[in-house]
Amino acid sequence: MSSDQPFVLRWGIISTGAIAAKFVSDVLIDPRTRAVGDVVHKVAVIGSRDAAKAKEFVNKFGRGDRSIKAYGTYEEVYADKDVDAVYIGTPHTHHYQNSKDAILAKKHVLCEKPVTSNATELKSLMSLAKENGVFFMEAMWTRFQPLACAFKRVLEDGRLGPPVSLRADLSDDLDIENLPTSHRILDPKLGGGALLDLGPYPMVWAIMTMYEHPDNKGEEPGHIAASMLKTPITGVDATTTFVLTFNRTLKAQAILSCSITLPKTRPGANIRFRNGNIIIDAPIYKPGAFTVEYFDKLGSGNVETSETKEFSYIGGGWHFQADEVARCIRDGKLESSEWGHDKSLLEMKVFDEVRRQGGYKFPDGVEQVLG
Ligand SMILES: NC(=O)C1=CN([C@@H]2O[C@H](COP(=O)(O)OP(=O)(O)OC[C@H]3O[C@@H](n4cnc5c(N)ncnc54)[C@H](OP(=O)(O)O)[C@@H]3O)[C@@H](O)[C@H]2O)C=CC1
Ligand SMILES: O=C1OC[C@@H](O)[C@H](O)[C@H]1O
């Protein structure tokens, strides 16, 4: 193959749930429709706990590709020689075991958010991935969308000055009164509740804005304050608010919230800098636009200029993270420089602490590795 041929990444898919369908649909879109010419994706294998579901998934989402294999166990996916990377779309509390099995089979892994149930599980996977020489990343798709890349460029040009305060919320009224208690959103055995499902999204904006800020020097927040409101249905958190104070070198505060009993709020995020603001549309997992406001002079609050940047593309937005995985694997990297292990680890440490303060303990046996 000549070097100007795109790199082909062959995926094995674990689970036939809602997000696996979205991921597969996106990676099967011709990458040239998003101006990507250096990588392409091949879905090689679908794995389900039920062979009939896997076959049905291939028929429904495989775009007529008759070479896609359908398996009735996940183990067959890990063992398949035609698979380079495994995408894991199972419920949160299965991510650790599924990732571990894939890594031990020497497959690269892209695992849905939240990457594990707790920080200790994640640390164990990070070590295992390094020992086995495979790439490992949490599927933090928002970070790879064109809007997030443009947002980072605005932060990096420095005109806004340092960030001081950020508010970000991801809420969605999931009609929990009418969901079965076995649904992954309600069942504590599946890590149910707002924090683990929706909390990664306010976190990603805080991480991009504050944790990654050069003045922060890679410090974790020095203080975390959290409160959870539980649903009486199963006791998982329905609404959670947590405040991260970056008080070590950067002096900034992120006020983050999520809810499964409220509709989305507008805007999704509001970030205040010494010299202006950034306002991000809802929903913050895939905003369509953001507005940058610049003050006439430092700290005045008078908006002199403002610019709104809008984004659209073909597909749901899950393919950009897949392109990142393909490029990293092609280049022999074991982690992404945009969403590396340290960022997922910070997320999981924060979630552990928020659950501790909120009194949300998983049932015994859910966490596979305890700290
Ligand atoms: N990035 C994003 O935008 C999104 C990410 N997610 C994340 O993806 C994960 C899955 O969510 P979602 O697709 O909505 O969930 P679904 O319930 O729709 O699908 C989960 C799938 O996991 C498999 N599975 C394995 N073990 C279990 C189990 N014990 N109970 C239920 N299902 C099981 C099943 O596939 P099978 O029977 O074929 O084995 C099932 O279809 C979550 O961690 C969530 O946070 C979810 C939505 C959006
Ligand atoms: O990751 C997600 O983003 C979109 C939400 O609707 C979904 O519940 C969540 O899992």
Side-chain angles (χ1 to χ4, degrees):
M1 191 167 67
S2 76
S3 59
D4 57 2
Q5 290 296 306
F7 174 79
V8 182
L9 184 64
R10 300 170 306 167
W11 289 95
I13 307 295
I14 297 294
S15 105
T16 56
I19 190 60
K22 288 184 167 146
F23 180 77
V24 166
S25 302
D26 262 16
V27 298
L28 291 179
I29 293 171
D30 184 341
R32 288 172 299 187
T33 61
R34 55 184 182 276
V36 168
D38 60 332
V39 294
V40 291
H41 305 278
K42 155 88 185 127
V43 175
V45 173
I46 306 291
S48 169
R49 296 167 300 170
D50 173 343
K53 274 170 78 182
K55 282 197 188 86
E56 191 189 331
F57 187 98
V58 171
N59 291 336
K60 205 163 160 192
F61 301 106
R63 292 199 166 209
D65 181 349
R66 299 177 70 86
S67 72
I68 303 176
K69 291 176 254 186
Y71 290 140
T73 67
Y74 298 162
E75 284 66 30
E76 288 167 281
V77 178
Y78 307 137
D80 194 297
K81 63 177 180 15
D82 295 329
V83 170
D84 305 310
V86 171
Y87 165 80
I88 293 167
T90 51
H92 322 327
T93 51
H94 290 252
H95 292 172
Y96 171 77
Q97 189 62 51
N98 299 151
S99 295
K100 183 179 171 187
D101 292 346
I103 292 169
L104 288 174
K106 305 263 186 224
K107 302 299 187 194
H108 306 289
V109 171
L110 175 66
C111 179
E112 265 309 332
K113 39 60 58 183
V115 65
T116 47
S117 304
N118 66 32
T120 317
E121 286 186 353
L122 175 57
K123 281 186 205 155
S124 157
L125 290 181
M126 286 160 49
S127 305
L128 204 62
K130 284 190 180 137
E131 281 163 26
N132 283 274
V134 295
F135 176 85
F136 176 67
M137 188 175 93
E138 178 181 30
M140 185 38 77
W141 62 305
T142 305
R143 179 63 183 88
F144 300 99
Q145 292 166 19
L147 182 144
C149 301
F151 170 83
K152 277 302 288 182
R153 286 193 292 275
V154 171
L155 296 189
E156 282 161 8
D157 89 6
R159 278 177 65 196
L160 288 167
V164 180
S165 177
L166 174 152
R167 283 170 200 262
D169 178 88
L170 181 59
S171 296
D172 202 358
D173 189 336
L174 298 178
D175 190 19
I176 59 173
E177 290 78 9
N178 292 309
L179 287 180
T181 53
S182 58
H183 191 283
R184 70 170 186 83
I185 287 291
L186 279 177
D187 187 349
K189 291 199 291 303
L190 298 178
L195 179 70
L196 290 189
D197 194 52
L198 303 179
Y201 297 107
M203 274 298 295
V204 73
W205 295 101
I207 287 176
M208 278 192 279
T209 307
M210 294 178 176
Y211 177 70
E212 291 178 15
H213 193 281
D215 292 355
N216 187 49
K217 302 187 189 335
E219 293 287 351
E220 295 184 354
H223 190 264
I224 299 171
S227 181
M228 282 183 153
L229 194 61
K230 312 272 184 52
T231 166
I233 303 172
T234 56
V236 302
D237 64 308
T239 300
T240 289
T241 299
F242 49 115
V243 180
L244 311 182
T245 302
F246 290 84
N247 53 1
R248 294 194 160 120
T249 58
L250 184 76
K251 305 295 177 200
Q253 208 167 47
I255 304 150
L256 311 178
S257 54
C258 47
S259 177
I260 52 175
T261 56
L262 285 172
K264 64 172 82 75
T265 183
R266 293 183 189 283
N270 191 335
I271 312 173
R272 303 182 65 191
F273 300 78
R274 293 298 305 283
N275 203 30
N277 306 306
I278 298 183
I279 299 135
I280 301 171
D281 272 10
I284 55 170
Y285 54 74
K286 193 179 92 166
F290 71 95
T291 299
V292 191
E293 297 177 341
Y294 295 100
F295 298 156
D296 56 357
K297 57 177 192 278
L298 185 74
S300 76
N302 300 321
V303 176
E304 186 176 60
T305 54
S306 96
E307 189 188 356
T308 297
K309 296 173 192 281
E310 293 181 24
F311 296 82
S312 64
Y313 38 79
I314 294 170
W318 288 277
H319 35 28
F320 300 109
Q321 61 180 347
D323 296 340
E324 169 73 358
V325 176
R327 289 183 181 122
C328 287
I329 291 172
R330 176 197 63 192
D331 299 342
K333 293 183 182 169
L334 298 187
E335 59 182 298
S336 161
S337 43
E338 312 306 331
W339 195 256
H341 296 179
D342 63 320
K343 293 173 196 170
S344 294
L345 187 58
L346 171 58
E347 175 193 337
M348 293 319 303
K349 284 182 182 174
V350 167
F351 289 179
D352 285 357
E353 177 58 17
V354 173
R355 283 195 302 110
R356 191 191 67 75
Q357 292 185 27
Y360 177 176
K361 282 186 89 168
F362 295 127
D364 287 348
V366 164
E367 290 159 289
Q368 303 295 302
V369 195
L370 287 163

Coordinates of all heavy atoms in Angstrom, one line a residue, residues 155-236:
L155 N -9.6 30.0 23.0 CA -9.0 30.0 24.3 C -7.5 30.3 24.2 O -6.9 31.1 24.9 CB -9.1 28.7 25.1 CG -10.6 28.3 25.5 CD1 -10.5 27.1 26.4 CD2 -11.3 29.4 26.1
E156 N -6.9 29.6 23.2 CA -5.4 29.7 23.0 C -4.9 31.0 22.5 O -3.8 31.4 22.7 CB -4.9 28.5 22.1 CG -4.9 27.2 22.9 CD -4.9 26.0 22.0 OE1 -4.8 26.1 20.8 OE2 -5.1 24.9 22.6
D157 N -5.8 31.8 21.8 CA -5.3 33.1 21.3 C -5.1 34.1 22.4 O -4.5 35.1 22.2 CB -6.1 33.5 20.1 CG -7.3 34.4 20.5 OD1 -7.5 34.8 21.6 OD2 -8.1 34.7 19.6
G158 N -5.7 33.8 23.6 CA -5.4 34.6 24.8 C -6.1 35.9 24.9 O -6.0 36.6 26.0
R159 N -6.9 36.4 23.9 CA -7.5 37.7 24.0 C -8.5 37.8 25.2 O -8.7 38.9 25.7 CB -8.2 38.0 22.7 CG -7.3 38.5 21.6 CD -8.1 38.8 20.4 NE -9.1 39.8 20.5 CZ -10.1 40.0 19.7 NH1 -10.3 39.2 18.7 NH2 -11.0 41.0 19.9
L160 N -9.1 36.7 25.6 CA -10.1 36.7 26.7 C -9.4 36.8 28.1 O -10.1 37.0 29.1 CB -11.0 35.5 26.6 CG -12.0 35.5 25.4 CD1 -12.6 34.1 25.3 CD2 -13.1 36.5 25.7
G161 N -8.1 36.6 28.1 CA -7.5 36.5 29.5 C -7.8 35.2 30.1 O -8.5 34.3 29.5
P162 N -7.5 35.0 31.4 CA -7.7 33.7 32.1 C -9.2 33.5 32.4 O -9.9 34.5 32.7 CB -6.9 33.8 33.3 CG -6.6 35.3 33.5 CD -6.7 36.0 32.2
P163 N -9.6 32.3 32.4 CA -11.0 32.0 32.8 C -11.2 32.2 34.3 O -10.2 32.0 35.1 CB -11.2 30.5 32.5 CG -9.9 30.0 32.5 CD -8.9 31.0 32.1
V164 N -12.3 32.6 34.8 CA -12.6 32.8 36.2 C -13.7 32.0 36.7 O -13.6 31.3 37.7 CB -12.8 34.3 36.5 CG1 -13.0 34.5 38.0 CG2 -11.7 35.2 36.1
S165 N -14.8 31.9 35.9 CA -16.0 31.2 36.4 C -16.7 30.5 35.2 O -16.8 31.1 34.1 CB -16.9 32.2 37.0 OG -18.1 31.6 37.4
L166 N -17.1 29.3 35.4 CA -17.8 28.5 34.3 C -19.0 27.9 34.9 O -18.9 27.3 36.0 CB -16.8 27.5 33.7 CG -17.3 26.5 32.7 CD1 -16.1 26.0 31.8 CD2 -17.9 25.2 33.3
R167 N -20.1 28.0 34.2 CA -21.3 27.3 34.6 C -21.7 26.4 33.4 O -21.8 26.9 32.3 CB -22.5 28.2 34.9 CG -22.4 28.9 36.2 CD -23.4 30.0 36.3 NE -23.0 30.9 37.4 CZ -23.4 30.9 38.6 NH1 -24.4 30.0 39.0 NH2 -23.0 31.7 39.5
A168 N -21.9 25.1 33.6 CA -22.3 24.2 32.5 C -23.3 23.2 33.1 O -23.1 22.7 34.2 CB -21.1 23.5 32.0
D169 N -24.3 23.0 32.3 CA -25.4 22.1 32.7 C -25.8 21.2 31.6 O -25.9 21.6 30.5 CB -26.6 22.9 33.2 CG -27.8 22.0 33.6 OD1 -27.8 21.6 34.8 OD2 -28.6 21.6 32.7
L170 N -26.0 19.9 31.9 CA -26.6 19.0 30.9 C -27.8 18.3 31.6 O -27.6 17.5 32.5 CB -25.7 17.9 30.4 CG -26.4 17.0 29.4 CD1 -26.9 17.9 28.2 CD2 -25.5 15.9 28.8
S171 N -28.9 18.7 31.2 CA -30.2 18.1 31.7 C -31.0 17.5 30.6 O -31.0 18.1 29.5 CB -31.0 19.1 32.5 OG -30.2 19.6 33.6
D172 N -31.7 16.5 30.9 CA -32.6 15.9 30.0 C -33.7 15.2 30.8 O -33.4 14.4 31.7 CB -31.8 14.9 29.2 CG -32.5 14.6 27.8 OD1 -33.6 15.1 27.5 OD2 -31.9 13.8 27.1
D173 N -35.0 15.6 30.5 CA -36.1 15.0 31.2 C -36.3 13.6 30.6 O -36.9 13.5 29.5 CB -37.4 15.8 31.2 CG -38.4 15.3 32.1 OD1 -38.4 14.1 32.4 OD2 -39.3 16.0 32.5
L174 N -35.9 12.6 31.3 CA -35.9 11.2 30.8 C -37.2 10.4 31.2 O -37.3 9.2 31.0 CB -34.7 10.4 31.2 CG -33.4 11.0 30.7 CD1 -32.2 10.2 31.2 CD2 -33.4 11.1 29.2
D175 N -38.2 11.2 31.8 CA -39.5 10.6 32.1 C -39.3 9.3 33.0 O -39.8 8.3 32.7 CB -40.2 10.2 30.8 CG -41.7 9.8 31.0 OD1 -42.2 10.2 32.1 OD2 -42.2 9.2 30.2
I176 N -38.5 9.5 34.0 CA -38.0 8.3 34.8 C -39.2 7.6 35.5 O -39.1 6.4 35.8 CB -36.9 8.7 35.8 CG1 -37.3 9.8 36.8 CG2 -35.6 9.0 35.1 CD1 -36.3 10.0 37.9
E177 N -40.3 8.3 35.8 CA -41.4 7.7 36.4 C -42.0 6.6 35.5 O -42.6 5.6 36.0 CB -42.6 8.7 36.7 CG -42.3 9.7 37.7 CD -41.3 10.9 37.3 OE1 -41.1 10.9 36.0 OE2 -40.8 11.6 38.1
N178 N -41.7 6.7 34.2 CA -42.3 5.7 33.3 C -41.2 4.7 32.7 O -41.5 4.0 31.8 CB -43.1 6.3 32.2 CG -44.3 7.0 32.7 OD1 -45.1 6.3 33.4 ND2 -44.5 8.3 32.5
L179 N -40.0 4.8 33.3 CA -39.0 3.8 32.9 C -39.0 2.6 33.8 O -39.3 2.7 35.0 CB -37.6 4.4 33.0 CG -37.1 5.5 32.0 CD1 -35.7 5.9 32.3 CD2 -37.2 5.0 30.6
P180 N -38.7 1.4 33.2 CA -38.6 0.3 34.2 C -37.4 0.5 35.1 O -36.4 1.1 34.7 CB -38.3 -0.9 33.2 CG -37.9 -0.3 31.9 CD -38.5 1.1 31.8
T181 N -37.5 0.0 36.3 CA -36.4 0.2 37.3 C -35.1 -0.5 36.9 O -34.1 -0.3 37.4 CB -36.8 -0.2 38.7 OG1 -37.3 -1.5 38.7 CG2 -37.9 0.7 39.3
S182 N -35.3 -1.4 35.9 CA -34.1 -2.2 35.4 C -33.4 -1.3 34.3 O -32.3 -1.8 33.8 CB -34.5 -3.5 34.8 OG -35.4 -3.3 33.8
H183 N -33.9 -0.2 33.9 CA -33.3 0.6 32.8 C -31.9 1.1 33.4 O -31.8 1.5 34.5 CB -34.2 1.8 32.5 CG -33.8 2.5 31.2 ND1 -32.7 3.4 31.2 CD2 -34.2 2.5 30.0 CE1 -32.6 3.9 30.0 NE2 -33.5 3.3 29.2
R184 N -31.0 1.2 32.5 CA -29.6 1.6 32.9 C -29.6 3.0 33.6 O -28.7 3.3 34.4 CB -28.6 1.6 31.8 CG -28.8 2.6 30.7 CD -27.6 2.7 29.7 NE -27.7 3.8 28.8 CZ -27.3 5.0 29.0 NH1 -26.8 5.3 30.2 NH2 -27.5 6.0 28.2
I185 N -30.6 3.9 33.3 CA -30.6 5.2 33.9 C -31.1 5.1 35.3 O -30.7 6.0 36.1 CB -31.5 6.1 33.0 CG1 -30.9 6.5 31.7 CG2 -31.9 7.4 33.8 CD1 -29.6 7.4 31.8
L186 N -31.8 4.1 35.7 CA -32.4 4.0 37.0 C -31.7 3.0 37.9 O -31.7 3.1 39.1 CB -33.9 3.7 37.0 CG -34.8 4.9 36.7 CD1 -36.2 4.4 36.6 CD2 -34.7 5.9 37.8
D187 N -31.1 1.9 37.3 CA -30.6 0.8 38.1 C -29.2 1.1 38.6 O -28.3 1.3 37.9 CB -30.6 -0.4 37.1 CG -30.2 -1.7 37.9 OD1 -29.8 -1.6 39.1 OD2 -30.3 -2.8 37.3
P188 N -29.1 1.1 40.0 CA -27.8 1.4 40.6 C -26.8 0.3 40.2 O -25.6 0.6 40.1 CB -28.0 1.4 42.1 CG -29.4 0.9 42.3 CD -30.2 0.9 41.0
K189 N -27.2 -0.9 39.9 CA -26.2 -1.9 39.4 C -25.6 -1.6 38.1 O -24.6 -2.1 37.8 CB -26.9 -3.3 39.4 CG -27.4 -3.9 40.7 CD -27.6 -5.4 40.6 CE -28.8 -5.8 39.8 NZ -30.1 -5.2 40.2
L190 N -26.3 -0.8 37.3 CA -25.7 -0.3 36.0 C -25.2 1.1 36.1 O -24.9 1.7 35.1 CB -26.8 -0.4 34.9 CG -27.4 -1.9 34.7 CD1 -28.5 -1.8 33.6 CD2 -26.3 -2.8 34.3
G191 N -25.0 1.6 37.3 CA -24.4 2.9 37.5 C -25.4 4.0 37.2 O -25.0 5.1 36.7
G192 N -26.7 3.8 37.4 CA -27.8 4.7 37.0 C -27.6 6.1 37.7 O -26.8 6.3 38.6
G193 N -28.4 7.0 37.2 CA -28.4 8.4 37.7 C -27.8 9.4 36.8 O -27.2 9.1 35.7
A194 N -28.0 10.7 37.2 CA -27.5 11.8 36.3 C -26.0 11.9 36.2 O -25.5 12.1 35.1 CB -28.1 13.1 36.8
L195 N -25.3 11.8 37.3 CA -23.9 12.1 37.4 C -23.1 11.3 36.4 O -22.4 11.8 35.5 CB -23.3 11.9 38.8 CG -21.8 12.1 38.8 CD1 -21.5 13.6 38.7 CD2 -21.2 11.6 40.1
L196 N -23.2 9.9 36.4 CA -22.4 9.1 35.6 C -22.8 9.2 34.1 O -22.0 9.1 33.2 CB -22.4 7.7 36.0 CG -21.6 7.4 37.3 CD1 -21.5 5.9 37.6 CD2 -20.3 8.1 37.4
D197 N -24.1 9.4 33.9 CA -24.5 9.5 32.5 C -24.3 10.8 31.8 O -23.8 10.9 30.7 CB -26.0 9.1 32.4 CG -26.4 8.8 30.9 OD1 -25.7 8.0 30.3 OD2 -27.4 9.5 30.4
L198 N -24.7 11.9 32.5 CA -24.6 13.2 31.9 C -23.5 14.1 32.4 O -23.0 15.0 31.8 CB -26.0 14.0 32.2 CG -27.2 13.2 31.7 CD1 -28.5 14.0 32.0 CD2 -27.1 13.0 30.2
G199 N -23.0 13.8 33.6 CA -21.9 14.5 34.2 C -20.6 14.7 33.4 O -19.9 15.7 33.5
P200 N -20.3 13.6 32.5 CA -19.1 13.8 31.7 C -19.1 15.1 30.9 O -18.0 15.6 30.5 CB -19.1 12.5 30.9 CG -19.7 11.5 31.7 CD -20.8 12.3 32.4
Y201 N -20.3 15.5 30.5 CA -20.4 16.6 29.6 C -20.0 18.0 30.2 O -19.2 18.7 29.6 CB -21.7 16.6 28.8 CG -21.8 15.4 27.9 CD1 -22.7 14.3 28.3 CD2 -21.0 15.2 26.8 CE1 -22.8 13.2 27.5 CE2 -21.1 14.0 26.1 CZ -22.0 13.0 26.4 OH -22.0 11.9 25.7
P202 N -20.7 18.4 31.3 CA -20.2 19.6 32.0 C -18.7 19.5 32.3 O -17.9 20.5 32.1 CB -21.0 19.7 33.2 CG -22.0 18.6 33.3 CD -21.9 17.9 32.0
M203 N -18.2 18.3 32.6 CA -16.8 18.1 33.0 C -15.9 18.4 31.8 O -14.8 19.0 31.9 CB -16.5 16.6 33.4 CG -16.7 16.3 34.8 SD -15.7 17.1 36.0 CE -14.1 16.6 35.6
V204 N -16.3 18.0 30.6 CA -15.4 18.2 29.4 C -15.1 19.7 29.2 O -14.0 20.1 28.8 CB -15.9 17.4 28.2 CG1 -17.1 18.1 27.5 CG2 -14.8 17.3 27.1
W205 N -16.1 20.5 29.4 CA -15.9 22.0 29.2 C -15.1 22.5 30.3 O -14.2 23.4 30.0 CB -17.3 22.7 29.1 CG -18.0 22.2 27.8 CD1 -19.0 21.3 27.8 CD2 -17.7 22.5 26.5 NE1 -19.4 21.1 26.5 CE2 -18.6 21.8 25.7 CE3 -16.8 23.4 25.9 CZ2 -18.6 21.9 24.3 CZ3 -16.8 23.5 24.5 CH2 -17.7 22.7 23.7
A206 N -15.2 22.1 31.5 CA -14.4 22.5 32.6 C -12.9 22.1 32.4 O -12.0 22.8 32.6 CB -14.9 22.0 33.9
I207 N -12.8 20.9 31.9 CA -11.4 20.4 31.6 C -10.7 21.1 30.5 O -9.6 21.6 30.7 CB -11.4 18.8 31.3 CG1 -11.7 18.1 32.7 CG2 -10.1 18.4 30.7 CD1 -11.9 16.6 32.5
M208 N -11.5 21.4 29.4 CA -10.9 22.1 28.3 C -10.5 23.5 28.7 O -9.5 24.1 28.4 CB -11.8 22.2 27.1 CG -11.8 21.0 26.3 SD -12.7 21.3 24.7 CE -14.4 21.1 25.2
T209 N -11.4 24.2 29.5 CA -11.2 25.6 29.9 C -10.2 25.8 31.0 O -9.4 26.7 30.9 CB -12.6 26.2 30.3 OG1 -13.5 25.9 29.3 CG2 -12.4 27.7 30.5
M210 N -10.3 24.9 32.0 CA -9.5 25.2 33.2 C -8.4 24.2 33.4 O -7.2 24.7 33.6 CB -10.5 25.2 34.4 CG -11.4 26.4 34.3 SD -12.6 26.5 35.6 CE -13.4 28.0 35.2
Y211 N -8.7 22.9 33.4 CA -7.6 22.0 33.6 C -6.5 22.1 32.6 O -5.3 22.0 32.9 CB -8.2 20.6 33.6 CG -7.2 19.5 33.8 CD1 -6.5 19.3 35.0 CD2 -6.9 18.6 32.7 CE1 -5.5 18.2 35.1 CE2 -5.9 17.6 32.9 CZ -5.3 17.4 34.1 OH -4.3 16.4 34.2
E212 N -6.9 22.3 31.3 CA -5.9 22.4 30.2 C -5.3 23.8 30.1 O -4.4 24.0 29.3 CB -6.6 22.1 28.9 CG -7.0 20.6 28.7 CD -7.7 20.3 27.4 OE1 -7.6 21.2 26.4 OE2 -8.3 19.3 27.2
H213 N -5.8 24.8 30.9 CA -5.2 26.1 30.7 C -3.7 26.1 31.2 O -3.4 25.6 32.2 CB -6.0 27.1 31.6 CG -5.7 28.5 31.3 ND1 -4.6 29.2 31.7 CD2 -6.4 29.4 30.5 CE1 -4.6 30.4 31.2 NE2 -5.7 30.6 30.5
P214 N -2.9 26.8 30.4 CA -1.4 26.8 30.7 C -1.2 27.3 32.1 O -0.3 26.7 32.8 CB -0.8 27.7 29.7 CG -1.8 27.9 28.6 CD -3.2 27.5 29.1
D215 N -1.9 28.2 32.6 CA -1.7 28.8 34.0 C -2.0 27.7 35.0 O -1.6 27.8 36.2 CB -2.6 30.0 34.3 CG -2.1 31.2 33.4 OD1 -1.1 31.1 32.7 OD2 -2.8 32.2 33.5
N216 N -2.8 26.7 34.7 CA -3.2 25.7 35.7 C -2.1 24.7 35.9 O -2.1 24.0 37.0 CB -4.5 24.9 35.2 CG -5.0 24.0 36.2 OD1 -5.2 24.4 37.4 ND2 -5.3 22.8 35.9
K217 N -1.1 24.6 35.0 CA 0.0 23.7 35.1 C -0.3 22.2 35.4 O 0.3 21.6 36.3 CB 1.0 24.2 36.1 CG 1.5 25.7 35.8 CD 2.6 26.1 36.8 CE 3.1 27.5 36.7 NZ 2.9 28.3 35.5
G218 N -1.5 21.8 34.9 CA -1.9 20.4 35.0 C -2.4 20.0 36.4 O -2.5 18.8 36.8
E219 N -2.7 21.0 37.2 CA -3.2 20.7 38.6 C -4.6 20.3 38.6 O -5.5 20.8 37.9 CB -3.1 22.0 39.5 CG -1.7 22.5 39.8 CD -1.0 21.6 40.8 OE1 -1.6 20.7 41.4 OE2 0.3 21.8 40.9
E220 N -5.0 19.3 39.5 CA -6.4 19.0 39.7 C -7.0 20.0 40.6 O -6.3 20.7 41.3 CB -6.4 17.6 40.3 CG -5.9 16.5 39.4 CD -6.0 15.1 39.9 OE1 -6.4 14.9 41.1 OE2 -5.6 14.2 39.1
P221 N -8.3 20.1 40.6 CA -9.0 21.1 41.4 C -8.6 20.9 42.9 O -8.6 19.7 43.3 CB -10.5 21.0 41.2 CG -10.6 19.7 40.4 CD -9.3 19.4 39.8
G222 N -8.3 21.9 43.6 CA -7.9 21.8 45.1 C -9.1 21.5 46.0 O -9.0 21.1 47.1
H223 N -10.3 21.9 45.5 CA -11.5 21.7 46.3 C -12.7 21.3 45.4 O -12.9 21.8 44.3 CB -11.8 23.0 47.0 CG -12.9 22.9 48.1 ND1 -14.2 23.2 47.8 CD2 -12.8 22.5 49.3 CE1 -14.9 23.0 48.9 NE2 -14.1 22.5 49.8
I224 N -13.5 20.4 46.0 CA -14.7 19.9 45.3 C -15.8 20.0 46.3 O -15.7 19.4 47.4 CB -14.5 18.4 44.8 CG1 -13.4 18.3 43.8 CG2 -15.8 17.9 44.2 CD1 -13.0 16.9 43.4
A225 N -16.9 20.6 45.9 CA -18.1 20.6 46.8 C -19.3 20.1 46.0 O -19.5 20.5 44.8 CB -18.4 22.0 47.2
A226 N -20.0 19.1 46.5 CA -21.1 18.5 45.7 C -22.3 18.2 46.5 O -22.3 18.1 47.7 CB -20.5 17.1 45.2
S227 N -23.4 18.2 45.8 CA -24.7 17.8 46.4 C -25.6 17.0 45.4 O -25.6 17.4 44.2 CB -25.4 19.1 46.8 OG -26.6 18.8 47.4
M228 N -26.2 16.0 45.9 CA -27.0 15.1 45.1 C -28.5 15.1 45.6 O -28.7 15.0 46.8 CB -26.5 13.7 45.1 CG -25.3 13.5 44.3 SD -24.8 11.7 44.3 CE -24.0 11.6 42.7
L229 N -29.4 15.1 44.6 CA -30.8 15.0 45.0 C -31.2 13.6 44.4 O -31.1 13.4 43.2 CB -31.6 16.1 44.3 CG -33.0 16.4 44.7 CD1 -33.1 16.8 46.1 CD2 -33.5 17.5 43.8
K230 N -31.6 12.7 45.3 CA -31.9 11.3 44.8 C -33.4 11.1 44.4 O -34.2 11.7 45.0 CB -31.6 10.3 45.9 CG -30.2 10.5 46.6 CD -29.1 9.8 45.9 CE -27.8 9.9 46.6 NZ -27.8 9.6 48.0
T231 N -33.6 10.2 43.5 CA -35.0 9.9 43.2 C -35.4 8.7 44.2 O -34.6 7.8 44.3 CB -35.2 9.4 41.8 OG1 -36.5 8.8 41.7 CG2 -34.2 8.4 41.3
P232 N -36.6 8.8 44.7 CA -37.1 7.7 45.6 C -37.3 6.4 44.8 O -37.4 5.4 45.4 CB -38.4 8.2 46.2 CG -38.8 9.4 45.3 CD -37.6 9.9 44.7
I233 N -37.4 6.5 43.5 CA -37.7 5.3 42.7 C -36.6 4.2 43.0 O -37.0 3.1 43.3 CB -37.8 5.6 41.2 CG1 -38.8 6.7 41.0 CG2 -38.1 4.4 40.4 CD1 -38.9 7.3 39.5
T234 N -35.3 4.6 42.8 CA -34.3 3.5 43.0 C -33.1 4.1 43.9 O -32.2 3.4 44.1 CB -33.7 3.1 41.7 OG1 -33.2 4.2 41.0 CG2 -34.7 2.3 40.8
G235 N -33.2 5.4 44.2 CA -32.2 6.0 45.1 C -31.0 6.5 44.3 O -30.0 7.0 44.9
V236 N -31.0 6.4 42.9 CA -29.9 7.0 42.2 C -30.1 8.6 42.1 O -31.2 9.1 42.4 CB -29.7 6.4 40.8 CG1 -29.5 4.9 40.9 CG2 -30.9 6.8 39.9

